[in-house]
Amino acid sequence: MKQILSLRSLVARRWTNRARKRLAAIGLASICLLSACAPKFDQGQVVQNKGDKEQEAVIPKYNISDSYYRVVLPFKPSGARGEVVNDLNTRLDVDEFETGLMRLATEQFPTDEYLFQEGQYLDSETVGKWLARKKTDRQLKEEKMKPEDNIGLNPPISDTGTNEQKNKQSPIYLASILEHDYLVKIDNDKVKLGGIAIGLALNSVHYYSTEQGYPREVKIKDDVIEREGKRIAAEVLKRLRSMKGLGSVPITIALYKQAPRSSVVPGHFFAVTHVDEGSSTIDDWEAVNEEYYLFPSDEAEENHRDDWLKFNNFKSDVEDFFPNYTGIVGRGLYVNDQLQKLTINITMPFYGKAEVIGFTQYVTGLVMEKFPDYITVNVYIASAGQPESLIVRQAKADEPFVHIYQ
């Protein structure tokens, strides 16, 4: 009991007048949000050229961050909308596949020069055909398929042997295809397609069932994933160039390694290529050194011990101060072996709003003290399946953003 009281006294001393003012400002911002007094921003109208047609569009003048693209309105969903969600193993992979592709696209299409639009060239039927297995001549005949429809990018499955033998010899490599379009202004009131980005999600594990219905899996080696990914990318580029409107635009293609179904962290991009306008060949690939780690975990301790220690110290302080603690886990994104972003989820049984506020204040102080300012830290605090508060400390930011859910 004395230890808990002394810790609470220490926390009380940490919260200076400056901190109280900051919390007051945050409270005012929360009231503003709750009363729907969000700021209004002027919109810019433009004409979008789509083939032979011209359509009016709106460009939001306000951008929430330099890391994000402004999205052309009205929002036009992709013809392949929903395919990524259906194809990938986990929600974590779905989110990282999309946001990671945007992150890589900024190298070729800067956010201050280009606008974002969901892919308008690959529809659901096309993506479905590309994700299919290639058919052998015998399979084409048996299934009465036209040769021109035999455009699957995954290898054909053998005609002979058990189902297990067939799958072991020819796993499905390509899991999903994602298209992003980037528009550029050509004068004051017109925009046109400035380039596209294509993400190719590749399986790290091939799942299948035996004839008796027993689930099986085959792990795919990294060098095989890379080889097959680059083979598929070359064919995708060739097909894109044959489509109307894509014959000369710059194209970025990125390869993504999907995590296994049981993973608690997403997969990662491992290679990207930028193809110049008019080119139909891939000259070289750039390695992408990105990976996610779970905290705490043996892998994080082995490969990033300093960060593992910082997280464990943070976790220990939370446990010491609040006896109702139940769970805390982190997910760290490493780029070129440096921690760039840490997402922390804390679940606790709270018994009142005052306890939530006190706990959030304490955790905010720990975030500022325990983690270096060159990384972005997001903390999500929840109880009984519902969010309680949010803490966001952007890299190099002097002050965190804190929100208590009402």
Side-chain angles (χ1 to χ4, degrees):
M1 184 66 180
K2 289 181 180 179
Q3 182 183 11
I4 294 174
L5 288 174
S6 63
L7 279 167
R8 286 181 175 166
S9 299
L10 176 62
V11 173
R13 289 197 297 271
R14 286 175 181 162
W15 288 96
T16 62
N17 290 333
R18 180 186 176 195
R20 283 193 287 271
K21 289 178 182 178
R22 181 167 72 244
L23 285 172
I26 292 165
L28 182 60
S30 299
I31 293 170
C32 219
L33 286 171
L34 289 169
S35 59
C37 60
K40 295 180 180 179
F41 302 97
D42 294 332
Q43 311 296 321
Q45 286 193 342
V46 295
V47 173
Q48 180 182 356
N49 290 319
K50 183 77 165 60
D52 299 328
K53 298 179 181 179
E54 290 188 345
Q55 301 172 338
E56 278 196 358
V58 175
I59 302 173
K61 287 190 175 180
Y62 179 74
N63 196 9
I64 59 176
S65 168
D66 292 339
S67 301
Y68 295 111
Y69 290 94
R70 286 184 292 172
V71 179
V72 176
L73 303 173
F75 185 80
K76 293 182 179 180
S78 169
R81 190 179 192 184
E83 287 297 319
V84 170
V85 176
N86 295 331
D87 298 333
L88 297 186
N89 290 334
T90 68
R91 183 71 212 189
L92 293 172
D93 269 316
V94 171
D95 292 343
E96 179 59 23
F97 188 37
E98 183 158 15
T99 57
L101 182 60
M102 287 184 183
R103 188 169 61 246
L104 293 176
T106 59
E107 299 175 10
Q108 190 77 354
F109 314 115
T111 58
D112 59 345
E113 298 178 20
Y114 290 83
L115 308 167
F116 175 85
Q117 188 173 61
E118 277 202 351
Q120 301 296 306
Y121 293 88
L122 298 181
D123 57 26
S124 182
E125 182 181 1
T126 300
V127 170
K129 288 181 178 180
W130 288 13
L131 293 178
R133 285 185 181 275
K134 189 88 171 176
K135 305 294 183 181
T136 63
D137 291 340
R138 177 181 169 184
Q139 291 164 352
L140 274 178
K141 186 176 180 181
E142 289 178 350
E143 297 180 26
K144 298 179 180 179
M145 282 182 61
K146 297 177 181 179
E148 56 267 29
D149 291 332
N150 188 24
I151 54 176
L153 292 168
N154 278 302
I157 196 163
S158 174
D159 286 324
T160 59
T162 65
N163 193 53
E164 188 161 4
Q165 291 170 335
K166 295 175 184 178
N167 276 280
K168 279 186 176 181
Q169 295 169 3
S170 52
I172 292 177
Y173 299 114
L174 182 62
S176 187
I177 302 173
L178 178 64
E179 175 201 350
H180 286 166
D181 295 346
Y182 294 96
L183 311 180
V184 63
K185 275 190 173 184
I186 52 177
D187 55 38
N188 289 332
D189 63 352
K190 288 188 178 182
V191 293
K192 70 171 185 177
L193 183 67
I196 69 171
I198 298 292
L200 302 177
L202 301 154
N203 288 319
S204 59
V205 178
H206 173 52
Y207 299 94
Y208 64 95
S209 298
T210 64
E211 282 87 347
Q212 294 76 28
Y214 297 114
R216 295 286 187 268
E217 58 185 63
V218 175
K219 186 178 180 186
I220 305 174
K221 295 181 179 179
D222 286 347
D223 60 334
V224 175
I225 295 174
E226 182 175 358
R227 182 194 70 208
E228 292 299 316
K230 291 179 178 179
R231 173 189 66 81
I232 292 169
E235 179 60 27
V236 167
L237 175 61
K238 179 182 174 182
R239 295 181 184 184
L240 291 174
R241 286 298 187 215
S242 67
M243 293 182 176
K244 184 178 180 180
L246 300 182
S248 61
V249 298
I251 297 177
T252 289
I253 302 178
L255 305 182
Y256 181 85
K257 177 185 174 183
Q258 183 181 199
R261 291 176 181 172
S262 59
S263 178
V264 293
V265 294
H268 58 276
F269 284 94
F270 63 89
V272 64
T273 184
H274 304 292
V275 183
D276 294 334
E277 53 182 302
S279 175
S280 298
T281 59
I282 297 174
D283 295 327
D284 55 18
W285 287 89
E286 176 186 341
V288 178
N289 186 7
E290 295 184 355
E291 192 163 3
Y292 278 90
Y293 281 85
L294 177 69
F295 289 92
S297 68
D298 293 340
E299 292 79 9
E301 181 182 10
E302 180 180 351
N303 296 316
H304 300 285
R305 183 170 176 79
D306 288 346
D307 297 326
W308 177 83
L309 285 171
K310 290 184 180 73
F311 180 86
N312 275 15
N313 289 336
F314 170 86
K315 180 173 179 289
S316 178
D317 283 352
V318 172
E319 292 171 334
D320 288 343
F321 190 73
F322 277 83
N324 290 339
Y325 161 82
T326 56
I328 175 171
V329 294
R331 193 170 65 245
L333 169 63
Y334 284 82
V335 179
N336 296 324
D337 296 321
Q338 294 294 319
L339 183 59
Q340 299 289 313
K341 182 174 69 173
L342 179 63
T343 300
I344 300 173
N345 291 90
I346 301 175
T347 304
M348 293 187 65
F350 292 105
Y351 298 101
K353 189 59 66 175
E355 188 175 3
V356 172
I357 294 171
F359 180 72
T360 303
Q361 290 173 339
Y362 178 59
V363 172
T364 301
L366 290 180
V367 168
M368 300 302 288
E369 294 172 12
K370 298 294 182 181
F371 300 111
D373 65 357
Y374 57 80
I375 67 172
T376 293
V377 182
N378 299 323
V379 183
Y380 299 91
I381 300 172
S383 67
Q386 67 179 30
E388 296 288 354
S389 60
L390 167 68
I391 304 166
V392 178
R393 201 284 306 277
Q394 295 287 351
K396 302 300 181 181
D398 293 329
E399 304 289 339
F401 168 80
V402 183
H403 177 70
I404 307 291
Y405 292 97
Q406 301 299 316

